[in-house]
Amino acid sequence: MTAKFAAQIDYGDPYVQPLILAALRSQIPASSYKLIQNEHEAFKIPTSQTDPSSPNKNADAHKTPLPLLQILPYESLSFPRLFNHHHHNQQNHTLLNSYTIRKALIRKHYLSNTVAHHVAKNPYSALSSHVPLSLHFELDYAEFLDEALVEAFELREAFARNEGRSEAREREWWILKPGMSDGGMGIRLFSTERELREVFEGWEEEKETDDEDDENDDDVDAVGAAHSSVNGHASLDDDEENEKATGFRDAINASHLRHFLVQPYIHPPLQISEPPYCNRKFHIRTYVVAAGALNVYVYGRKLALFASEPYRPPWETSSSESDTKRAADASDSAANGIDGDEEILRRMRNIHLTNTCMQTKSNPQQLGSKNVFLLSDLPLPPSTHSAISAQINNAISELFRAAVAQPTNFQPSPNCLEVFGVDFLVSEDNSSSSTNDTTQGSYYKVQTEPPLETSSQAPTPHVHLLEVNAFPDFAQTGKDLRQDVVGGLWEDIMREVVRPHFVVECDQSDHANWKDKVCNEHGKAPVERQARLTSVLNLNLGFR
């Protein structure tokens, strides 16, 4: 049987690379593809279109290269092939594992604009109630904060209301997110303009300190080199030692990032009291597969990623606590050799941030079975699980509808697929979408979906879209769920997307031989289970 396509697979991540190769072997007959190291090898493999009687077989092969599957890092993909396949008159000539342009989804400030435009035109969209109000501004330096917030009307109104509330618990709380960062870097909580300004001023102070350290490093290079040669190792400066010891250093350069997003802080999140969950905040990681132009699938094996410590309201873990309590905490921290501001940041991370990369910095021993669970394993009523899944599916379907209406910032191609990691937070009900009942405009519109039936004793869940990640960090799944979740995802991709794209078909004898060969090589037969991908959107956008 002649190979139908060449496969260049080098994902660049040792965690997921073997799983992709195993999925390819287990879901597609080996005679249907040829593994290659670079795309040029696809021109050297004889195809069914090569004339065996031709005096120059290599020339024929050059004219009709084997169709190519590439699963590589974004910067290594052969995007020019997307625009050359028309010359071969083959729609399925190429399949790359990323779209060329998709910032309408993966950049936080672009995502907020995508949702705002869609909701303005479709006020009854599911996004109107599943995406918190998002305000975007640009800022280089803290001194220009007033000008940056001129058009952030809802935020300035909240600041005005908070001015008359002396107790932090009575205020409306917000969350700050840098638009171009990931891994939880630069996220802060605030309730007043003063607190927001202090965040940016603190980053500028740290940058100035770093610049001074860099200048001093130039003066002591020779001394440091001599010291290293004597002691056999290089020494770390105080900041590096602190970062290595605590992992709490995450200052960003605002003048480089510039784009920032603020949203009402969602309180309280859905919590589970019994061990090992222990009232810790969690978010849901959902893998979404977008294929061609455009089919969107939601993967059924969702993850629940937990924070390190039990949840506490933001006013109990921020710099807005009462002066007495702050002084007491500062005294305790100083007694333990910990800076007070650093302790506030540590608490904020461990309680409010559920990113596993943050947990590994502050509590490396926590990663794995204590922080990552299957959502389906959480002890929630069946009605709650059903409501969460239904709301996630609706939100993702509407999100991609919104993205295709932004052709400058999202350009799906028939010859691409992409896996996105979409994060959601769950609160107990829609009325608790922010930290204070008086918050105005916590959502773009009031919820318009009919409520799903739940038992009187079960919490009524409400799903909130947090962000969309391209090339998601699969390693956060941990080793216990690696094969089941990540391996199963790529098996479904190979079976439901790759195989149909290259029109890989096999008769009964080929199928039996393939199963026997895989079983002999790997000790088990290829997986024949039903796919866990649920189709939530099917559009025919054609070529772009």
Side-chain angles (χ1 to χ4, degrees):
M1 182 178 178
T2 305
K4 287 185 173 291
F5 66 95
Q8 183 185 1
I9 300 177
D10 186 6
Y11 196 77
D13 182 351
Y15 179 91
V16 72
Q17 172 72 6
L19 298 177
I20 299 175
L21 292 172
L24 177 68
R25 288 192 297 263
S26 69
Q27 299 302 316
I28 300 178
S31 57
S32 299
Y33 64 90
K34 176 71 174 178
L35 285 173
I36 61 175
Q37 297 299 315
N38 62 75
E39 65 173 303
H40 302 293
E41 295 180 40
F43 289 82
K44 302 176 183 179
I45 304 171
T47 70
S48 58
Q49 300 179 32
T50 303
D51 183 0
S53 63
S54 172
N56 190 349
K57 297 179 183 179
N58 290 334
D60 283 347
H62 180 75
K63 294 178 182 178
T64 57
L66 205 62
L68 177 64
L69 167 67
Q70 278 191 333
I71 301 179
L72 305 172
Y74 181 87
E75 60 274 8
S76 302
L77 291 168
S78 301
F79 288 113
R81 291 181 62 96
L82 298 179
F83 310 102
N84 294 334
H85 73 272
H86 294 288
H87 299 301
H88 305 287
N89 196 29
Q90 295 182 21
Q91 181 175 338
N92 63 342
H93 191 268
T94 303
L95 185 60
L96 310 183
N97 67 305
S98 175
Y99 294 114
T100 311
I101 297 174
R102 65 273 202 265
K103 58 187 177 183
L105 295 170
I106 65 174
R107 296 301 183 196
K108 295 181 183 70
H109 51 294
Y110 279 92
L111 176 62
S112 69
N113 288 334
T114 298
V115 172
H117 290 164
H118 185 73
V119 170
K121 297 178 180 180
N122 304 274
Y124 298 103
S125 165
L127 297 182
S128 65
S129 59
H130 290 298
V131 181
L133 174 69
S134 302
L135 306 177
H136 164 234
F137 63 90
E138 296 184 30
L139 182 64
D140 294 317
Y141 300 99
E143 62 183 298
F144 302 120
L145 182 62
D146 291 337
E147 292 88 340
L149 298 181
V150 165
E151 295 186 6
F153 304 110
E154 294 87 349
L155 180 60
R156 290 195 290 115
E157 290 172 359
F159 285 160
R161 289 190 295 270
N162 285 344
E163 286 298 324
R165 297 165 180 165
S166 57
E167 292 294 328
R169 68 173 58 251
E170 298 176 354
R171 300 175 191 160
E172 303 164 23
W173 282 82
W174 296 73
I175 185 168
L176 171 71
K177 302 177 182 179
M180 300 285 285
S181 70
D182 54 17
M185 296 293 290
I187 292 180
R188 296 292 188 271
L189 305 182
F190 65 95
S191 63
T192 66
E193 185 175 356
R194 176 184 62 82
E195 293 168 2
L196 181 59
R197 189 181 302 276
E198 288 175 352
V199 170
F200 289 101
E201 290 174 345
W203 287 337
E204 290 179 5
E205 291 174 1
E206 291 197 32
K207 181 180 182 302
E208 291 175 359
T209 301
D210 290 341
D211 290 343
E212 291 175 0
D213 290 341
D214 290 340
E215 293 177 1
N216 293 333
D217 287 343
D218 293 338
D219 298 331
V220 299
D221 278 345
V223 177
H227 179 78
S228 298
S229 62
V230 172
N231 293 279
H233 61 82
S235 61
L236 300 173
D237 63 28
D238 291 341
D239 286 339
E240 288 173 329
E241 289 178 352
N242 180 62
E243 180 178 0
K244 186 173 182 181
T246 67
F248 294 144
R249 205 174 147 77
D250 76 337
I252 63 172
N253 191 337
S255 61
H256 288 177
L257 292 179
R258 298 188 61 186
H259 298 277
F260 294 89
L261 200 73
V262 294
Q263 297 173 317
Y265 184 76
I266 299 169
H267 165 82
L270 182 64
Q271 300 165 58
I272 302 172
S273 59
E274 58 228 60
Y277 314 107
C278 303
N279 286 321
R280 290 181 293 158
K281 180 180 179 180
F282 70 92
H283 82 265
I284 299 171
R285 164 55 61 89
T286 302
Y287 291 117
V288 175
V289 180
L294 175 70
N295 294 305
V296 180
Y297 306 89
V298 174
Y299 186 54
R301 306 293 274 174
K302 301 176 180 69
L303 298 174
L305 283 68
F306 283 75
S308 295
E309 298 181 15
Y311 179 76
R312 292 164 60 189
W315 52 84
E316 294 184 5
T317 57
S318 76
S319 58
S320 287
E321 296 169 306
S322 67
D323 293 339
T324 302
K325 190 174 189 316
R326 289 179 63 186
D329 286 349
S331 176
D332 293 340
S333 299
N336 294 318
I338 301 175
D339 180 79
D341 291 338
E342 181 180 296
E343 174 63 14
I344 291 173
L345 180 57
R346 184 199 68 80
R347 284 184 297 170
M348 190 273 291
R349 281 179 167 177
N350 290 351
I351 293 172
H352 298 284
L353 299 188
T354 52
N355 309 63
T356 53
C357 57
M358 285 294 179
Q359 313 312 329
T360 55
K361 285 182 179 180
S362 55
N363 291 293
Q365 72 278 8
Q366 293 288 325
L367 183 62
S369 59
K370 294 183 179 180
N371 284 77
V372 183
F373 301 86
L374 278 176
L375 176 64
S376 57
D377 288 344
L378 300 188
L380 298 171
S383 58
T384 300
H385 278 292
S386 297
I388 291 173
S389 294
Q391 291 180 37
I392 286 177
N393 290 352
N394 289 339
I396 289 174
S397 176
E398 280 297 293
L399 179 61
F400 278 85
R401 286 185 185 275
V404 298
Q406 304 287 325
T408 303
N409 299 321
F410 181 55
Q411 298 178 7
S413 165
N415 291 295
C416 296
L417 71 89
E418 185 154 6
V419 179
F420 297 96
V422 185
D423 293 333
F424 293 91
L425 185 69
V426 183
S427 62
E428 293 190 359
D429 58 67
N430 193 28
S431 63
S432 59
S433 59
S434 65
T435 55
N436 193 288
D437 292 339
T438 62
T439 298
Q440 302 294 315
S442 296
Y443 282 79
Y444 293 96
K445 296 289 181 181
V446 295
Q447 184 176 2
T448 56
E449 294 176 337
L452 290 155
E453 293 184 2
T454 56
S455 67
S456 58
Q457 297 180 348
T460 303
H462 189 77
V463 166
H464 313 260
L465 174 66
L466 298 180
E467 63 179 355
V468 180
N469 301 277
F471 284 84
D473 179 16
F474 290 109
Q476 68 178 353
T477 306
K479 64 179 182 179
D480 295 339
L481 299 172
R482 179 171 178 256
Q483 181 59 52
D484 181 32
V485 175
V486 183
L489 170 65
W490 283 100
E491 287 172 0
D492 285 354
I493 291 172
M494 294 296 174
R495 180 194 239 172
E496 304 298 323
V497 179
V498 175
R499 191 195 295 183
H501 183 87
F502 292 110
V503 197
V504 175
E505 299 175 352
C506 53
D507 56 31
Q508 292 298 321
S509 60
D510 288 334
H511 192 67
N513 293 336
W514 161 55
K515 289 181 63 176
D516 291 342
K517 186 174 187 300
V518 173
C519 186
N520 292 334
E521 289 180 354
H522 306 286
K524 61 180 181 178
V527 178
E528 293 293 326
R529 60 167 173 76
Q530 184 177 1
R532 293 167 175 164
L533 293 178
T534 299
S535 176
V536 297
L537 185 64
N538 187 346
L539 300 177
N540 183 11
L541 302 178
F543 288 86
R544 286 182 175 261

